[in-house]
Amino acid sequence: MTLLKKAAVGTAHGKIILIGEHAVVYNMPAIALPFMATTITVRITEKEGETHITSDYFTGYLSQVPEALYGFKEALIMVANHLDVSEQGLNIHVDSQIPSERGMGSSAAVATALIKALCNYFDYEIDEDTLKNFVDVAEKITHGNPSGIDTTVVNSSNPIYFKKNQPPAFIPLNLDGFLIAADTGIKGNTKEAVSDVGKLVDSAKSQTMKVIEKIGDLTGKAKVTITENNVLSLGEIMNQTHRLLKQLTVSSDELDHLVQAALQAGACGAKLTGGGRGGCMIALAKTSDHAKEIAQALTEAGAIKTWIHPLNSGVDVNE
Ligand code: PMV
């Protein structure tokens, strides 16, 4: 029998893809970091009648959710079916610091936090594999053809070296460097970007696959530079990767502008992160003071928010 709790909570966090986005869809590796400065909490309480959702993105009844939340809705229905309970009669409150549609994994994080909150609410202990499978289904609805990297990292406390359909390898990150993330303020569109890369693969296969394979090689090299604590080489690899992502048409003028601003401020490297076409970029600095200067330069260049993330497993700083 399922015991009903009066209130329950589920949490997850955002992520930063250090390198390998888009190429990871084509079985290349990628490296992603949990981004603890951005968290998401889903609270569930009991109510009469139709389930109601309150969030910054959308507030209204389950039957009215916009297309961008169809994955979220499906996650709710899947869990309800799995537990043999009704998806109605719930008040779902989403409190998110992860900017949505900015390449920080908000859709995977919200689905993860929702599923955890629901399982808590119905007093069900979900195992990691089932949780991941449910989030993967929700992500397929949201993103079309996701690699699964977001699903894995938003529920992990460790950086991961990820390859599609393989168990992720956790990689120790102990670099004398700081990552600065900056939000262009423009919504990205991962589904469209992934689909457009797919069209490029279809129309110019060998040329596009060469670019994708180069990103894969750079990701392998990035892994080595991380082990060797070589911040300067990692920065150069990030620069090369950004140029390749541009060739895949997933950058934007605003992203290129912030990448340029970070490099002018002396960053060791800079690139877009996540799906692109808007959303966020990242830059690399050797010291905390320099990271703050770069964050300031990015704000002056138009970023609406910046974060500094130490790469030695320290605590994130909200700028
Ligand atoms: O934009 P995000 O945070 O969903 O990141 C997507 C990463 C991609 O490699 C572009 C797609 C994927 O499914 O791996």
Side-chain angles (χ1 to χ4, degrees):
M1 195 182 97
T2 340
L3 282 176
L4 201 81
K5 282 184 186 168
K6 287 289 169 216
V9 167
T11 59
H13 49 257
K15 64 102 219 283
I16 292 178
I17 297 184
L18 181 65
I19 185 163
E21 52 274 270
H22 286 288
V24 68
V25 175
Y26 298 88
N27 300 315
M28 298 296 140
I31 298 172
L33 325 173
F35 193 33
M36 302 299 187
T38 57
T39 55
I40 195 157
T41 305
V42 172
R43 284 190 181 77
I44 297 182
T45 51
E46 198 178 0
K47 82 178 269 295
E48 300 247 307
E50 187 177 352
T51 287
H52 187 269
I53 297 150
T54 310
S55 73
D56 284 346
Y57 194 82
F58 162 79
T59 294
Y61 289 100
L62 186 61
S63 56
Q64 302 165 331
V65 297
E67 203 178 328
L69 290 187
Y70 284 179
F72 178 89
K73 182 175 174 179
E74 182 58 27
L76 170 56
I77 293 169
M78 265 185 306
V79 175
N81 288 343
H82 188 73
L83 303 185
D84 203 13
V85 295
S86 170
E87 72 272 18
Q88 303 298 348
L90 306 171
N91 239 326
I92 301 178
H93 190 101
V94 182
D95 184 10
S96 176
Q97 298 155 1
I98 311 175
S100 59
E101 299 174 48
R102 304 284 163 71
M104 284 202 172
S106 76
S107 59
V110 74
T112 302
L114 170 71
I115 294 166
K116 284 177 164 178
L118 284 166
C119 291
N120 238 331
Y121 186 78
F122 291 108
D123 219 9
Y124 177 78
E125 216 165 290
I126 191 164
D127 61 80
E128 294 288 310
D129 284 347
T130 312
L131 171 66
K132 201 174 161 303
N133 287 342
F134 284 157
V135 181
D136 273 338
V137 175
E139 281 289 271
K140 276 195 184 111
I141 295 169
T142 311
H143 283 329
N145 181 22
S147 63
I149 189 167
D150 287 11
T151 309
T152 307
V153 76
V154 297
N155 196 31
S156 161
S157 42
N158 293 303
I160 57 166
Y161 182 81
F162 179 91
K163 265 187 127 175
K164 205 170 162 179
N165 302 324
Q166 288 185 18
F170 296 108
I171 53 169
L173 195 63
N174 206 0
L175 265 179
D176 292 326
F178 294 78
L179 212 56
I180 306 101
D183 186 352
T184 59
I186 300 193
K187 285 187 177 181
N189 191 334
T190 302
K191 193 173 187 169
E192 189 186 281
V194 169
S195 154
D196 286 354
V197 174
K199 285 180 195 154
L200 269 187
V201 170
D202 289 343
S203 62
K205 187 155 188 170
S206 81
Q207 205 182 329
T208 310
M209 284 313 295
K210 263 188 205 137
V211 176
I212 287 171
E213 278 157 19
K214 275 187 197 161
I215 296 177
D217 286 349
L218 288 169
T219 303
K221 286 187 183 143
K223 190 176 174 216
V224 176
T225 63
I226 289 170
T227 338
E228 292 171 348
N229 190 9
N230 192 339
V231 176
L232 291 180
S233 288
L234 181 59
E236 185 42 43
I237 288 171
M238 286 166 66
N239 292 338
Q240 288 177 36
T241 308
H242 185 71
R243 289 195 283 271
L244 293 167
L245 288 167
K246 277 177 77 163
Q247 288 181 35
L248 292 181
T249 74
V250 296
S251 191
S252 69
D253 290 347
E254 295 81 6
L255 283 165
D256 292 346
H257 177 63
L258 291 187
V259 163
Q260 223 31 57
L263 294 177
Q264 264 159 23
C268 309
K271 63 181 276 294
L272 69 85
T273 182
R277 299 268 170 93
C280 292
M281 53 77 67
I282 50 173
L284 187 62
K286 271 193 85 89
T287 66
S288 156
D289 283 348
H290 195 189
K292 285 181 191 150
E293 278 169 37
I294 294 167
Q296 179 59 33
L298 287 166
T299 303
E300 282 162 19
I304 61 157
K305 186 157 174 66
T306 60
W307 300 261
I308 294 175
H309 180 86
L311 293 175
N312 58 359
S313 315
V315 178
D316 300 329
V317 183
N318 263 304
E319 284 297 288

